[in-house]
Amino acid sequence: MWMNIDQVLDLPNVTVVNYKKIDGIIFLKLNLVNETIECPNCHRILDTINQTEYSLARDLAIIGNPVYLEVPRRQFYCPNCDKYTTERLSFMRLRKHHTTRYEEMIYERVKRSNIKEVCQEEGLGWDEVNSIFEELARRDEKKE
């Protein structure tokens, strides 16, 4: 059975609209399938997009190539609350530049080895890897 890139990527409510490979790095430009969101304040369905900006987010590698997603970050306007709200994505935490599954992979690798080794293998800074590790470690402590 043949699979398209959306199925390989396996992220909810997204489709890949374009891709490019530059110096061994894969960039996938995404489009969000849903046209509305629920206002987090009044729970009204919002369909008025105020603006869309793209941000780069690191994701899991594909066939040994680093992957960056060009993710649309949409801001909706709620006339009921007279407020703007940025859409929350289930596969990324707000104000982060990694998918949650990439952060999980980093966390598990640091637990098995060390921060320095993961930094070298992933091409990330020590502070970035340490921050991911500490945040997910705190989350796991709360679960226990």
Side-chain angles (χ1 to χ4, degrees):
M1 174 174 128
W2 290 95
M3 296 175 69
N4 68 31
I5 193 92
D6 295 341
Q7 291 170 313
V8 172
L9 191 58
D10 193 29
L11 290 174
N13 298 317
V14 301
T15 186
V16 177
V17 294
N18 206 349
Y19 69 93
K20 58 188 167 188
K21 187 174 180 182
I22 302 171
D23 297 328
I25 300 172
I26 297 171
F27 295 88
L28 301 174
K29 186 170 187 172
L30 305 182
N31 189 27
L32 300 171
V33 176
N34 59 312
E35 295 179 4
T36 63
I37 66 166
E38 182 179 297
C39 177
N41 301 310
C42 69
H43 305 291
R44 179 183 227 169
I45 299 300
L46 306 179
D47 61 0
T48 304
I49 298 174
N50 178 55
Q51 68 179 5
T52 302
E53 294 182 2
Y54 283 83
S55 66
L56 277 179
R58 182 83 180 261
D59 195 21
L60 299 175
I62 297 176
I63 315 170
N65 296 285
V67 172
Y68 286 86
L69 307 176
E70 293 182 43
V71 181
R73 301 309 313 235
R74 302 185 302 187
Q75 184 185 68
F76 286 77
Y77 174 69
C78 179
N80 193 46
C81 299
D82 193 32
K83 290 185 180 183
Y84 295 93
T85 185
T86 300
E87 179 177 20
R88 306 252 192 238
L89 302 174
S90 63
F91 57 90
M92 285 180 64
R93 293 185 296 139
L94 203 58
R95 296 180 199 83
K96 299 297 178 180
H97 297 285
H98 314 96
T99 60
T100 51
R101 64 187 180 189
Y102 183 76
E103 290 179 342
E104 285 288 341
M105 182 271 298
I106 294 295
Y107 177 64
E108 292 300 324
R109 285 181 57 196
V110 169
K111 285 189 342 188
R112 290 190 310 271
S113 61
N114 61 60
I115 292 175
K116 184 178 178 184
E117 188 176 308
V118 174
C119 290
Q120 290 171 340
E121 292 170 359
E122 291 296 316
L124 300 172
W126 193 92
D127 289 338
E128 188 173 12
V129 172
N130 186 55
S131 174
I132 291 169
F133 182 78
E134 287 182 354
E135 284 183 49
L136 295 185
R138 279 193 299 273
R139 177 206 63 194
D140 282 356
E141 284 178 3
K142 290 178 183 177
K143 285 182 182 177
E144 294 174 357

